[in-house]
Amino acid sequence: AQSVTQPDIHITVSEGASLELRCNYSYGATPYLFWYVQSPGQGLQLLLKYFSGDTLVQGIKGFEAEFKRSQSSFNLRKPSVHWSDAAEYFCAVGAADSWGKLQFGAGTQVVVTP
Amino acid sequence: SAVISQKPSRDICQRGTSLTIQCQVDSQVTMMFWYRQQPGQSLTLIATANQGSEATYESGFVIDKFPISRPNLTFSTLTVSNMSPEDSSIYLCSVARGAGDGYTFGSGTRLTVV
């Protein structure tokens, strides 16, 4: 069965600084990988997804993520954070053979300081 | 991506009662899902809503407690039955058109049971 680990429960970053959120997955074959963001009181918004091909994926709001099969990782990055990036970020994995089901990580809460 | 209208956005209900949540999509989608997000937690898949047949429930979730309907390719309902305070959560509808599509989430229904 697939699983997702987000090692960092909480990250504080200064506005303008770079941000990297870690995500490790466990799955026997190539997974489908996603990053979602949830602002307070809001639903989930898809930032980016990886299905196949280029391992560096560009998303919305200036985010990117890199799929590293050897490390079973799909880390999310942003070069310069804005105060509006303060939110909860979820990594999720889906299986190609039962792609309807997403397994979510526990989430990482990002706080942006002035 | 698909646009989802989820209703109600929030509700406060008495224990022992039931609440039906609606999920309307602006276009036909292959897959529809219902997730639960308990306070401060990540998302857990409740079930896959299948058009014209019974929903497929995940471990720990049963039809008597969470009956689901999906009469067509654009609409689904989730009922939370005989509610208790432990059912206080955000319930989210999610859809995907097909393989290669991202998963779009509704804005969620914030349920409080008193």
Side-chain angles (χ1 to χ4, degrees):
Chain A
Q2 65 258 36
S3 66
V4 184
T5 302
Q6 293 180 246
D8 304 305
I9 297 173
H10 186 275
I11 285 181
T12 300
V13 59
S14 300
E15 191 168 14
S18 63
L19 174 68
E20 181 167 14
L21 304 182
R22 296 183 291 166
C23 174
N24 294 99
Y25 68 90
S26 174
Y27 185 62
T30 299
Y32 293 159
L33 294 159
F34 307 83
W35 274 100
Y36 286 88
V37 60
Q38 185 177 38
S39 298
Q42 302 295 313
L44 271 71
Q45 182 179 23
L46 178 66
L47 287 175
L48 46 78
K49 61 182 186 280
Y50 173 79
F51 283 174
S52 64
D54 193 348
T55 57
L56 185 62
V57 181
Q58 301 297 320
I60 63 171
K61 302 186 178 186
F63 285 93
E64 67 177 25
E66 185 171 13
F67 171 61
K68 292 185 177 180
R69 184 189 302 274
S70 61
Q71 299 177 18
S72 297
S73 68
F74 189 58
N75 295 348
L76 181 72
R77 298 191 293 257
K78 185 169 184 177
S80 176
V81 298
H82 186 263
W83 63 266
S84 60
D85 293 322
E88 184 105 27
Y89 292 80
F90 292 97
C91 181
V93 61
D97 58 353
S98 59
W99 63 273
K101 302 179 182 181
L102 290 186
Q103 180 80 34
F104 281 82
T108 298
Q109 183 72 45
V110 173
V111 173
V112 180
T113 60
Chain B
S1 59
V3 177
I4 300 174
S5 173
Q6 190 173 333
K7 296 178 181 179
S9 58
R10 59 177 63 231
D11 207 342
I12 301 173
C13 300
Q14 297 291 321
R15 67 174 67 203
T17 63
S18 297
L19 176 71
T20 296
I21 302 167
Q22 298 181 358
C23 178
Q24 177 73 57
V25 192
D26 68 338
S27 58
Q28 293 186 346
V29 292
T30 306
M31 311 290 286
M32 293 185 78
F33 310 93
W34 288 98
Y35 285 84
R36 181 177 73 182
Q37 186 178 23
Q38 295 177 298
Q41 302 293 315
S42 186
L43 282 78
T44 302
L45 180 64
I46 297 172
T48 302
N50 300 309
Q51 193 233 341
S53 65
E54 192 172 286
T56 305
Y57 290 85
E58 297 300 305
S59 176
F61 297 97
V62 296
I63 187 171
D64 290 345
K65 177 66 176 177
F66 298 102
I68 289 170
S69 76
R70 188 178 175 189
N72 56 53
L73 292 176
T74 64
F75 185 77
S76 178
T77 66
L78 167 74
T79 299
V80 186
S81 303
N82 188 24
M83 289 183 285
S84 67
E86 292 71 34
D87 294 318
S88 297
S89 295
I90 300 173
Y91 292 86
L92 298 110
C93 170
S94 176
V95 305
R97 287 198 180 90
D101 194 16
Y103 296 75
T104 303
F105 283 80
S107 55
T109 296
R110 185 178 295 271
L111 171 62
T112 302
V113 183
V114 297

